[in-house]
Amino acid sequence: MSHPDTKRASSSLLRPREPLVGRLQRYWRDGGPWGWLNAMAVSVSLVLVLGLLSLLVVGSFSHFWPSRLVEVELTAQPGQSPTALTTTRGEPAADNRHLLGELMHEEMRRVASGEGDDARQQWWLLQTSSRDGAAASWQWLPETLLDRMAFPSQALMLEMRDGRTLYGMPRALSDPMTGEMDHTPDVDDGPARPLSEDAEPLFARLKMIESERRQLQALRLDSEALSSRYQALQQSLESRRSAIADGDAAQTQEDAELEQEMQEELVEVRSAFIEREGQLSALRDALAGGQLLLGGNGGYEGRIALDDIRNAWRPNAMGFSGRLMMTLKRFRDFVAGAPTEGFGGVWPAIFGTVLMVVLMSIMVMPFGVMAALYLHEVAHQGRLTRLTRIALRNLAGVPSIVYGVFGLGFFVYGLGAGIDELFYSERLPTPTFGTGGILWASLTLALLTLPVVIVATEEGLARVPRRLREGALALGATRLETLKRVVIPAASPALMTGLILAVARAAGEVAPLMLVGVVKLAPDLPLDDSFPWLHLDRKFMHLGHQVYDLAFQSSDAFSSRPLVYATALVLVVVILCLNLSAIRLRHMLAQRYKGATE
């Protein structure tokens, strides 16, 4: 008795071998290559996405990680003097023998040798202290000019509030009481040492100044509230006296007592206001009096106000944990900080981007869903409806700058100017809504993304089985009830797909926003605690515009490059969070109406 496997093996041996061409043709007809091509397309997409994220993370890392400061001692070579060195901005180097800064880049160059042949030579790019404005100073150094490199542990890196970066060696602090330079400031424990050996007193003074700045801000707000209260009381008292003088109201005993109470409150508010102003003046003087003297080792030379320093650290004295903590602190300040004249944080840009996308979603979804319902459920499916669908699909391909021009002409100069004439005529010629703002930006992007929402919703409505509509109508439901309770819930996952596509496109658009409301610097958020809380007429900041401004409008490309990567990374994370929220909602709706479309 033979085994079945033996029979199959013998039958396959008896069958004639299929030619190679035939096997390839059958493999092609079965769709084998398409499966591999699809897998390759998915792999390439994943690699591109991961590569993009890796590029953004690595590119932005250098901005937050405190790299070591290097002191370079230059030497003169035959035929090449260090005095010939200049910064990249054409300025002569301040110290011809020493430079202090960060090594940002190195590369190999071909240089002509004395024998007529080209030789490879290493060049270093050194970032030194900013000399004026917010621009950094950069200097290319060939290896032949480097005599010695050292990493002094006392070297300071200072982030200034105006955006500059300074490198220097601490020499002395001003005395808090007299303002004179004190080269051996007092310390809490142990013998006092010069600031060049121990910079801890400097960090303690900077912490105290930060606390005083917060106290100054609280006092300023309190003083403004007292001033507003004083003006309101004064106006109320004058109005009351005018009414009595005109004979509109008779003064009774209660009125006299009330007026006396108001006068007493006026005196109290005025006294409190004068006291706050005195405290503010004393704090301002204290903040303006502190100074730090830097000098030596090729770093920044001179005095700087302590109040102008945003952050200070000694990167050469830090271990790995210290560098990691500093990196996290700088990233937190970058995400949650306010913008400055230099750059600062991106919190207003994050808030403006999210608020604009939320407003756009609130505006576009009702109009998009209603338009899709009309086209698919109500309108006669004739030539006009088909032409309307074709027009809508073509609108999705119109360049976004065209929508920006339309928004500027229709919303800003048309609708906004009309609102100003009707409701804000007392403020003219200063426009309120007749200029760019977050309302017009959201409406322009809602118009831009409307075709996407309509097309996605129509696709979802087409997937709702006809038997559901007929069953609801057969059970006595009206057409409106069928739409509200059967069709729209069953198509709700497609609605969320349209919202996801709209959010992704709106959050990344920059061109139309430059015409209808986005600006480079707007520290005041559109949402605050003053009535009406949401200020739709205000201009706002946007992460995409920040990326554009840093990449193409900055005068210092080397300094702004890591910031471009960091801002782009934050933009990608914000869009990812918005899309994940919509995907989560779509998943919940799909689970709830799972059996409706099957």
Side-chain angles (χ1 to χ4, degrees), residues 248-260:
D248 296 337
Q251 186 174 21
T252 62
Q253 181 63 29
E254 294 180 355
D255 294 334
E257 293 177 355
L258 181 60
E259 183 176 338
Q260 181 66 25

Side-chain angles (χ1 to χ4, degrees), residues 212-260:
E212 289 175 349
R213 288 180 65 86
R214 289 195 292 270
Q215 188 180 356
L216 183 72
Q217 179 66 17
L219 284 175
R220 187 182 291 122
L221 293 176
D222 194 16
S223 178
E224 291 175 356
L226 286 172
S227 177
S228 301
R229 178 61 180 164
Y230 183 81
Q231 292 177 1
L233 281 173
Q234 203 168 27
Q235 290 177 359
S236 176
L237 190 59
E238 290 177 355
S239 301
R240 192 171 189 81
R241 287 173 177 172
S242 299
I244 293 174
D246 294 341
D248 296 337
Q251 186 174 21
T252 62
Q253 181 63 29
E254 294 180 355
D255 294 334
E257 293 177 355
L258 181 60
E259 183 176 338
Q260 181 66 25

Side-chain angles (χ1 to χ4, degrees), residues 246-460:
D246 294 341
D248 296 337
Q251 186 174 21
T252 62
Q253 181 63 29
E254 294 180 355
D255 294 334
E257 293 177 355
L258 181 60
E259 183 176 338
Q260 181 66 25
E261 291 177 359
M262 293 175 67
Q263 287 180 343
E264 293 175 356
E265 188 176 356
L266 266 177
V267 173
E268 292 178 2
V269 171
R270 186 171 182 275
S271 300
F273 178 75
I274 294 174
E275 183 182 358
R276 295 293 184 279
E277 287 297 311
Q279 294 172 344
L280 278 172
S281 178
L283 262 179
R284 289 193 188 101
D285 292 341
L287 286 172
Q291 287 190 328
L292 169 67
L293 178 62
L294 295 174
N297 296 61
Y300 184 85
E301 301 274 355
R303 299 186 181 192
I304 55 176
L306 293 176
D307 188 33
D308 292 339
I309 301 175
R310 181 205 302 273
N311 209 346
W313 62 91
R314 293 180 300 167
N316 294 350
M318 289 180 173
F320 178 78
S321 59
R323 292 170 186 271
L324 183 61
M325 295 301 295
M326 178 57 69
T327 300
L328 295 177
K329 179 179 182 300
R330 296 184 73 188
F331 183 74
R332 182 200 64 188
D333 294 342
F334 174 74
V335 173
T340 62
E341 294 180 359
F343 183 75
V346 294
W347 169 245
I350 296 175
F351 189 87
T353 304
V354 174
L355 181 60
M356 185 204 65
V357 170
V358 171
L359 291 176
M360 181 275 302
S361 303
I362 293 174
M363 295 171 186
V364 74
M365 286 306 293
F367 284 100
V369 172
M370 285 190 294
L373 283 172
Y374 177 79
L375 287 175
H376 194 271
E377 302 288 335
V378 180
H380 174 68
Q381 302 301 313
R383 181 177 299 175
L384 181 60
T385 304
R386 289 195 296 273
L387 289 175
T388 304
R389 283 199 182 93
I390 293 173
L392 283 172
R393 283 165 171 76
N394 287 329
L395 277 178
V398 173
S400 58
I401 190 64
V402 177
Y403 286 96
V405 173
F406 176 81
L408 179 66
F410 181 75
F411 293 129
V412 178
Y413 293 154
L415 197 56
I419 292 175
D420 283 351
E421 291 178 359
L422 286 176
F423 301 104
Y424 301 97
S425 57
E426 72 280 3
R427 300 182 185 177
L428 291 175
T430 302
T432 303
F433 282 92
T435 183
I438 194 168
L439 174 63
W440 306 136
S442 302
L443 278 172
T444 303
L445 289 185
L447 192 63
L448 173 71
T449 55
L450 185 62
V452 177
V453 176
I454 293 175
V455 172
T457 304
E458 265 209 284
E459 293 296 329

Side-chain angles (χ1 to χ4, degrees), residues 183-207:
H183 291 262
T184 56
D186 295 333
V187 293
D188 295 335
D189 53 349
R193 291 188 297 170
L195 196 66
S196 58
E197 299 178 3
D198 184 8
E200 290 304 323
L202 169 63
F203 299 137
R205 286 282 295 276
L206 291 178
K207 285 184 180 177

